[in-house]
Amino acid sequence: MRYKHYHHAKQVIISSLDDMSNNTTLQIKSNFNLAVIHIRLGEIELGLTKLSALKSSLNRFHLVEQQAKLIILEGLFHKMGVCYETIDQGIDMMVERELYFEAHEACESVSEILESQFNETSKALVYLRQSMEFARKLNHIGVANHEKN
């Protein structure tokens, strides 16, 4: 998924879901990723439907990263148009839990989707800048942690 090989990732996830029958958390995360792949492949309604079905499981198992990504996707594909407050809420949720790498990737994805699907170049740049800030923060944290060791 990270390298945008969505068709291949979709096949791998589908074929491996049966092997995960005894690991509920892994199944939920894999189904979440499968729903995101549907969205990235343009099957937006199918992806959003699958995400909606997973919402209670994400909450029950406290899967914060996926909960935040779901909020971001709900903001991106809101019925009334892009809802930036909702997107920011999902990003803030990641930051509150110090999931800076995930926030970096999420902002990068939001930027890409705003540019490619909604032609919102100026808003895409805002999220791209935010992504770069998280990348800098990660680099700084990495340097600080390295110096302690």
Side-chain angles (χ1 to χ4, degrees), residues 15-108:
S15 67
S16 63
L17 275 171
D18 290 336
D19 297 335
M20 300 178 206
S21 59
N22 59 349
N23 190 328
T24 305
T25 305
L26 193 54
Q27 278 186 326
I28 294 167
K29 288 180 177 183
S30 295
N31 279 309
F32 181 89
N33 287 333
L34 188 58
V36 171
I37 288 170
H38 283 296
I39 291 170
R40 296 300 243 155
L41 291 174
E43 303 164 349
I44 295 166
E45 288 303 316
L46 176 60
L48 292 176
T49 300
K50 287 180 178 284
L51 288 174
S52 180
L54 290 169
K55 196 171 196 171
S56 65
S57 295
L58 296 175
N59 293 333
R60 186 169 0 115
F61 288 94
H62 306 288
L63 300 174
V64 176
E65 178 185 348
Q66 286 76 20
Q67 289 172 322
K69 286 179 180 179
L70 174 61
I71 292 168
I72 292 167
L73 289 168
E74 288 174 339
L76 276 170
F77 298 102
H78 193 273
K79 292 177 183 170
M80 304 298 286
V82 176
C83 181
Y84 296 102
E85 286 179 25
T86 304
I87 294 169
D88 293 341
Q89 179 187 355
I91 294 167
D92 291 344
M93 189 175 180
M94 289 179 180
V95 172
E96 286 169 8
R97 296 286 169 62
E98 298 181 359
L99 299 172
Y100 299 115
F101 179 75
E102 292 79 359
H104 159 71
E105 281 190 326
C107 287
E108 209 169 61

